[in-house]
Amino acid sequence: MTITPTAAAVEHLTPERWAVANRLLIRKALAEFSHERLLDPAPLDDGRWSVRGDDGAVEYRFAARRFALDHWQVDAASITRHRHGSDLPLDALDFFIELRSTLGLSPEVLPVYLEEISSTLAGTAYKLTKEPTTAAELAVAGFQDIETGMTEGHPCFVANNGRLGFGVDEYRAYAPEAATGISLVWLAARRDRATFTAGAGLDYSTLIAGELGEETLARFAARMTDLGLDLDDYLLIPVHPWQWWNKLAVTFAGEVAQQHLVCLGEGEDSYLAQQSIRTFFNASHPEKHYVKTALSVLNMGFMRGLSAAYMEATPAINDWLTGLIERDELLRGTGFSTIRERAAVGYHHRAYEAATAKGSPYLKMLAALWRESPVPSLADGERPATMASLLHTDAEGRSVAGALIAESGLGPADWLRRYLDAYLVPVLHSFYAYDLVFMPHGENVILVIEDGVVRRTVFKDIAEEIAVMDPDAVLPPQVERIRADVPEDMKLLSVLTDVFDCFLRFLGADLATEGVLDEETFWRTVAECVRGYQESVPYLADKFAQYDMFTKEFALSCLNRLQLRDNQQMVDLEDPAGALQLTGRLRNPIAEY
């Protein structure tokens, strides 16, 4: 019997895969909600743990190991569900309904959150159809093979692959794990309704000629001529295909009808979606720029749009940061660098700008930026990989980090120290020397690896993620927007939360579970890295005393609590510190060292 394309689109949704996906998601929910103290598991006599639903009748039992930073390593195979003595199958949607009050899920948030969970489960089911890749194979794979081979998503968020707005056919076309080549749609936007900004040494004509080439530009110009228009009167904007079909062709219909916007068709190059879903790597020409596009899809607490007004300062912010790094001897010495967002373009829809407030999704539907590729900067023998891959584990429970350690031939602690010197030291020095903080999670960092050893790191997603917390810092006017007013007692959380709790917590537990490196040695090595950095810059001693990395404990900042409270806009970007959900304290794992 022939399966129709309509039916084939959901072939990954089978009872067997759905059961596995539900078990894996409930495992993560039990672990992360226990970490965030939404759940308070009770110990059982057999060494297992118990969590009860709101009504007290439903019970989940599971085995888990507890690590530093109150990390719960839950054994997925051990999870069972019971009601009045009867065993029940695991069902993630039931889990959230049974615990809705405990988790603080309001009637408004709950159904949308269930939709995000359903989409995350469907994504896991799709990933289970792929040929299994061992951690050792993935560790030495190509840059984009690693990017599209990730299976977990953000390590903290439970509903981390919502992508609300994608249909199943669009999921298969645009999700990074689908690894499908994508052609971007190009629009011509009237210059009096669009803005373009570029970094030093780059202009519009040079950028567009380099990205599109003479043949494509000639095709676009001919299309405009056929319409009685002149391409020189317009700016070109690359657009996510989903955004064109689902938003711009409808929501911006008047702009198209009046030829303020003209659809020119697709470009020639093939792109691959990155983990962040709206950023594309040029697979046809890896040396060309990444392209980041607006995408009006709800994913992990935000609509993933791009603001035309917000983007104007992006190149200037990147140039400022590049200059700072180049002038700092210590940062240069670590090999630390960024891939600059070199240019940005955005369209101003006058009606929506008149009708809506700053921050509205309607102001974030049509903009794009071009970010440097890391490929041209690689030396012979160097290979790039997303830092998120360190936390990837294969079906046998082996991690990519463990595979890299094996490839390097170094002792695990020695390998870890070299990685920390490349990753953690630039984060620390930026904080202590310049009050400058990044969002250095796994997806925002590219590791440059040679023979299994991390030689240096490259940070990305600069203009939307960095902040300067010094109210007296002298910043160029066009860079002023990155200044953030953060209470003194919360400043160090940019390292203790973003690095320790949201990344190293998982890496340390994974290496210990795998038997590669014990937890005590892991955190002692982190402490030695911090201490080594501090000894190298004695002139910052006062700052080290003011913001003590060896403080005995620090506030627990909860990411899932943000999403459970408001999964449409979980943080006010004008006041990110004010939106934090702080619950209790965590013992600092390096304090004793």
Side-chain angles (χ1 to χ4, degrees):
M1 178 178 170
T2 303
I3 299 176
T4 67
T6 305
V10 293
E11 277 191 305
H12 59 292
L13 299 177
T14 65
E16 296 76 19
R17 294 190 194 106
W18 196 250
V20 172
N22 275 266
R23 181 170 291 276
L24 292 174
L25 192 137
I26 291 174
R27 181 214 67 77
K28 185 168 187 177
L30 289 168
E32 287 307 296
F33 293 161
S34 297
H35 171 71
E36 295 192 10
R37 298 167 192 177
L38 285 156
L39 303 180
D40 184 18
L44 299 174
D45 293 339
D46 58 0
R48 289 156 60 87
W49 299 84
S50 168
V51 166
R52 290 192 176 272
D54 296 336
D55 64 1
V58 174
E59 180 187 21
Y60 291 85
R61 299 174 191 161
F62 58 93
R65 290 178 63 188
R66 297 180 70 179
F67 291 89
L69 293 168
D70 201 17
H71 179 77
W72 291 73
Q73 196 87 331
V74 174
D75 176 12
S78 72
I79 304 169
T80 56
R81 177 185 174 214
H82 313 272
R83 180 189 287 274
H84 301 310
S86 299
D87 293 345
L88 298 173
L90 296 182
D91 185 291
L93 300 190
D94 285 349
F95 175 88
F96 291 101
I97 292 168
E98 290 162 354
L99 287 149
R100 69 170 86 181
S101 296
T102 301
L103 299 176
L105 280 160
S106 70
E108 294 76 26
V109 170
L110 178 57
V112 181
Y113 193 76
L114 293 181
E115 187 178 1
E116 292 182 278
I117 291 295
S118 296
S119 181
T120 301
L121 291 168
T124 301
Y126 176 82
K127 293 167 192 172
L128 290 170
T129 68
K130 301 174 79 171
E131 190 68 30
T133 303
T134 67
E137 291 169 338
L138 196 64
V140 296
F143 187 30
Q144 292 307 297
D145 292 328
I146 296 172
E147 188 77 25
T148 59
M150 298 291 93
T151 58
E152 179 50 44
H154 196 291
C156 298
F157 285 102
V158 175
N160 61 18
N161 278 309
R163 301 163 181 170
L164 300 190
F166 279 178
V168 66
D169 55 335
E170 293 160 334
Y171 170 85
R172 288 175 173 269
Y174 306 136
E177 58 267 23
T180 305
I182 298 166
S183 296
L184 297 179
V185 175
W186 287 81
L187 303 185
R190 279 180 57 95
R191 286 179 180 263
D192 61 352
R193 292 169 180 262
T195 52
F196 174 86
T197 51
L202 185 64
D203 58 44
Y204 173 79
S205 298
T206 303
L207 173 74
I208 294 299
E211 290 296 296
L212 288 174
E214 290 182 13
E215 189 175 320
T216 301
L217 269 175
R219 172 162 60 89
F220 288 171
R223 163 73 174 152
M224 296 294 282
T225 301
D226 289 344
L227 294 170
L229 304 171
D230 187 342
L231 186 58
D232 290 341
D233 295 334
Y234 289 73
L235 294 173
L236 292 173
I237 305 180
V239 172
H240 193 297
W242 186 95
Q243 193 75 353
W244 167 249
W245 288 107
N246 293 276
K247 285 294 177 183
L248 301 177
V250 178
T251 310
F252 282 44
E255 306 300 286
V256 175
Q258 298 172 83
Q259 296 183 327
H260 302 322
L261 288 174
V262 180
C263 183
L264 300 173
E266 298 177 336
E268 299 295 330
D269 290 352
S270 178
Y271 290 83
L272 284 171
Q274 303 297 280
Q275 287 289 309
S276 59
I277 75 169
R278 57 177 170 165
T279 301
F280 293 101
F281 179 84
N282 193 319
S284 300
H285 300 280
E287 74 284 356
K288 288 187 181 181
H289 292 84
Y290 286 95
V291 180
K292 186 173 183 177
T293 59
L295 184 62
S296 300
V297 164
L298 184 68
N299 194 51
M300 235 163 56
F302 289 106
M303 190 71 74
R304 298 292 163 171
L306 283 180
S307 163
Y310 195 76
M311 299 275 292
E312 286 186 44
T314 291
I317 292 169
N318 279 260
D319 284 350
W320 171 83
L321 179 61
T322 299
L324 183 151
I325 294 169
E326 290 174 347
R327 291 189 299 272
D328 189 283
E329 184 178 355
L330 187 145
L331 292 177
R332 290 200 316 272
T334 65
F336 174 66
S337 65
T338 66
I339 43 178
R340 294 173 294 172
E341 290 146 358
R342 295 287 284 139
V345 64
Y347 186 79
H348 298 272
H349 192 299
R350 293 174 182 173
Y352 292 129
E353 289 187 353
T356 56
K358 184 179 180 181
S360 166
Y362 284 93
L363 304 181
K364 301 178 181 181
M365 288 190 182
L366 183 48
L369 66 78
W370 288 269
R371 178 187 294 145
E372 292 174 317
S373 166
V375 173
S377 70
L378 298 173
D380 288 345
E382 291 183 336
R383 66 181 197 258
T386 174
M387 192 174 81
S389 66
L390 294 185
L391 305 185
H392 176 88
T393 55
D394 62 21
E396 304 302 318
R398 292 183 291 257
S399 69
V400 166
L404 289 172
I405 291 170
E407 180 193 355
S408 73
L410 299 173
D414 189 8
W415 182 93
L416 176 65
R417 177 62 188 270
R418 297 190 192 202
Y419 157 66
L420 292 169
D421 286 344
Y423 167 59
L424 180 56
V425 168
V427 172
L428 293 173
H429 190 62
S430 297
F431 175 82
Y432 283 109
Y434 303 107
D435 289 275
L436 171 67
V437 295
F438 298 87
M439 187 66 73
H441 56 64
E443 197 276 321
N444 267 358
V445 179
I446 295 170
L447 305 177
V448 178
I449 298 166
E450 185 177 17
D451 299 327
V453 181
V454 178
R455 300 297 185 191
R456 56 189 175 90
T457 57
V458 182
F459 283 22
K460 63 184 182 70
D461 217 359
I462 299 304
E464 287 192 279
E465 302 283 16
I466 68 169
V468 172
M469 300 187 295
D470 179 3
D472 301 317
V474 179
L475 299 174
Q478 64 269 44
V479 178
E480 185 62 34
R481 83 140 194 255
I482 68 172
R483 191 190 306 274
D485 182 14
V486 179
E488 280 294 305
D489 61 347
M490 293 173 65
K491 287 184 177 179
L492 194 55
L493 289 182
S494 65
V495 180
L496 294 174
T497 295
D498 295 347
V499 177
F500 279 31
D501 192 36
C502 291
F503 197 82
L504 296 184
R505 167 167 68 95
F506 298 92
L507 182 61
D510 286 349
L511 291 175
T513 301
E514 198 179 351
V516 173
L517 183 65
D518 66 274
E519 186 178 33
E520 180 183 349
T521 305
F522 180 92
W523 289 107
R524 188 190 310 116
T525 304
V526 175
E528 289 169 355
C529 174
V530 174
R531 203 163 53 244
Y533 160 68
Q534 292 183 345
E535 290 169 355
S536 74
V537 281
Y539 64 90
L540 291 173
D542 290 345
K543 291 291 286 289
F544 299 146
Q546 183 179 3
Y547 305 110
D548 182 12
M549 278 292 295
F550 293 93
T551 182
K552 288 197 174 349
E553 56 182 28
F554 59 91
L556 168 59
S557 181
C558 303
L559 298 185
N560 283 286
R561 283 178 181 262
L562 290 171
Q563 192 178 14
L564 292 167
R565 180 185 64 183
D566 184 351
N567 50 358
Q568 311 276 335
Q569 176 78 27
M570 70 181 186
V571 173
D572 178 2
L573 297 177
E574 301 295 315
D575 180 25
L580 295 182
Q581 290 274 296
L582 303 178
T583 305
R585 316 227 6 122
L586 290 173
R587 180 176 160 275
N588 185 353
I590 70 170
E592 62 186 282
Y593 305 112

